[in-house]
Amino acid sequence: MKGTQNKYYIVCEDLFKIYKIAELEVVALRGLDLKVETGELMAIVGASGSGKSTLLNILGGLDVPSAGQVVVGNRDLLKTSSRDLVDYRRQDVGFVWQQTSRNVISYLTAYQNVELPLILLGWSIRKRRRRVEEMMEAVGLTSRSNHFPDRLSGGEQQRVAIAVAMAHNPPLLLADEPTGELDSQTSETVLDVFRSVNDVYGVTVVIVTHDIRIMSKVNRVVTIRDGRTSQETVRKVQTEFVKPEARIEKTHDEFIVVDGAGRLQIPRDLVEKLKLGRRAVVLMEDDHLVVWPVESQEGEEK
Ligand code: ADP
Ligand code: MG
């Protein structure tokens, strides 16, 4: 239904993605659950190979999951035809990639880069000019409008990329390692632009990264491990009021994600400390659970 505002813009439930290469199967997502609120600015972190890009490609309609549920806006992406997915990608999603060369076209100026998607969508010249100027201002690059990408710094190119991605005012902005090639100070400036467009346009923003410094920039960070959401960190207080050295510890609450089936991932360091093997006993104690490792039997597979 159009016009109704859902609380969640993204709902993934028990999502699986299996890649088949010849005889080999790679399970990139194994029962992933994720909800993102409409207008939220959040990040997904995780080691390389944990399934971050796979998830983002599915959310952006570039890839289809093998099983499970994924609803974005009011659209069930598993039931969307490939033709409708093309429309979805063009109209409802903005992408920012790690490589600037994938985001901007080198022989077009910054202005022309931002204008291009609007030409493809058939916007009139007047409407285009107004929007491109607005976007260049939104990313703080008005004075650089007529520069070609090779005259811009890496951070400026990524800011142009955000302007390109936001030009047609999509409800969803996806970024895959957008600061992966930038130094930390430049990264910060680029992340601030994501925050600002989220604030000004109310766009739902999902940023994938392996850089945990993202924690000081977004309200919620979800950790993916082995293709499943495992941990969630939620900001408690405004970081502006906290000394930088105390930020990560004091300003966030850490949670382990419990999925719809009651599964949770025990943090790896605790698994090692406890010498947790294949089996454990879980007991209820008052209002909490206790987990006991069970020694493996002889002859049992590890
Ligand atoms: P991340 O972005 O967190 O580094 P990816 O989503 O790229 O992780 O990859 C998750 C897993 O899926 C990895 O084991 C990767 O090798 C595999 N994978 C990703 N894309 C493909 C593909 N197109 N074909 C086969 N395997 C893939
Ligand atoms: Mg990746």
Side-chain angles (χ1 to χ4, degrees):
M1 262 189 299
K2 282 233 163 95
T4 50
Q5 179 92 335
N6 295 334
K7 177 174 189 209
Y8 294 108
Y9 193 71
I10 297 171
V11 177
C12 302
E13 269 166 16
D14 214 12
L15 202 58
F16 278 80
K17 177 68 190 182
I18 300 167
Y19 291 108
K20 291 199 179 80
I21 318 164
E23 299 292 287
L24 218 68
E25 285 191 349
V26 178
V27 187
L29 298 179
R30 53 181 84 223
L32 178 134
D33 287 346
L34 177 73
K35 283 183 177 164
V36 180
E37 284 184 20
T38 304
E40 193 179 351
L41 166 70
M42 61 89 67
I44 294 173
V45 301
S48 172
S50 57
K52 305 184 297 295
S53 295
T54 302
L55 173 62
L56 215 65
N57 288 341
I58 289 173
L59 294 178
L62 290 164
D63 206 344
V64 282
S66 310
Q69 253 210 42
V70 51
V71 177
V72 181
N74 291 317
R75 202 185 289 256
D76 184 336
L77 292 185
L78 262 138
K79 296 200 181 111
T80 306
S81 68
S82 50
R83 207 175 139 182
D84 287 346
L85 271 186
V86 174
D87 286 340
Y88 167 74
R89 281 201 297 270
R90 232 177 251 161
Q91 288 164 18
D92 294 348
V93 192
F95 285 101
V96 177
W97 308 100
Q98 174 172 355
Q99 303 91 345
T100 51
S101 57
R102 197 170 168 188
N103 294 318
V104 292
I105 296 169
S106 62
Y107 53 83
L108 297 179
T109 64
Y111 185 102
Q112 290 166 333
N113 265 286
V114 181
E115 189 181 25
L116 184 63
L118 305 181
I119 294 175
L120 298 177
L121 287 170
W123 288 35
S124 71
I125 193 163
R126 275 188 54 189
K127 218 173 140 199
R128 288 199 314 255
R129 185 181 308 139
R130 208 176 319 133
R131 184 65 183 177
V132 177
E133 283 171 2
E134 181 185 342
M135 292 324 298
M136 293 308 291
E137 195 177 330
V139 302
L141 288 176
T142 302
S143 63
R144 295 271 200 272
S145 292
N146 296 319
H147 288 241
F148 287 94
D150 66 354
R151 306 308 302 267
L152 300 171
S153 70
E156 287 171 339
Q157 288 184 38
Q158 288 305 65
R159 278 150 68 194
V160 173
I162 296 172
V164 172
M166 285 299 296
H168 60 301
N169 205 13
L172 179 62
L173 179 58
L174 301 173
D176 196 347
E177 309 268 5
T179 62
E181 290 175 0
L182 306 176
D183 62 62
S184 63
Q185 206 172 344
T186 313
S187 298
E188 195 147 317
T189 323
V190 170
L191 293 174
D192 283 338
V193 174
F194 279 105
R195 270 181 80 155
S196 156
V197 295
N198 167 256
D199 193 40
V200 173
Y201 297 101
V203 58
T204 306
V205 184
V206 178
I207 302 172
V208 155
T209 178
H210 58 256
D211 183 356
I212 60 153
R213 280 173 305 191
I214 189 93
M215 284 192 184
S216 64
K217 294 289 174 193
V218 298
N219 297 328
R220 188 163 70 107
V221 176
V222 169
T223 308
I224 297 196
R225 209 173 92 197
D226 303 330
R228 204 179 272 169
T229 42
S230 71
Q231 221 179 40
E232 191 165 313
T233 311
V234 180
R235 188 204 294 256
K236 285 200 286 204
V237 289
Q238 293 290 320
T239 47
E240 284 75 10
F241 304 120
V242 182
K243 279 191 234 139
E245 59 272 24
R247 272 183 194 170
I248 286 179
E249 301 81 13
K250 298 273 171 59
T251 59
H252 294 77
D253 276 331
E254 291 235 338
F255 301 101
I256 289 179
V257 173
V258 183
D259 72 12
R263 289 175 299 209
L264 52 80
Q265 282 194 342
I266 298 173
R268 203 160 269 163
D269 53 323
L270 294 186
V271 170
E272 280 162 16
K273 257 191 221 159
L274 262 180
K275 299 201 166 54
L276 210 54
R278 285 185 60 234
R279 292 194 180 123
V281 175
V282 178
L283 292 176
M284 178 110 186
E285 206 164 83
D286 299 330
D287 59 350
H288 62 274
L289 297 177
V290 183
V291 179
W292 298 89
V294 175
E295 278 185 41
S296 53
Q297 307 288 307
E298 224 170 291
E300 193 180 66
E301 54 177 313
K302 285 236 172 81

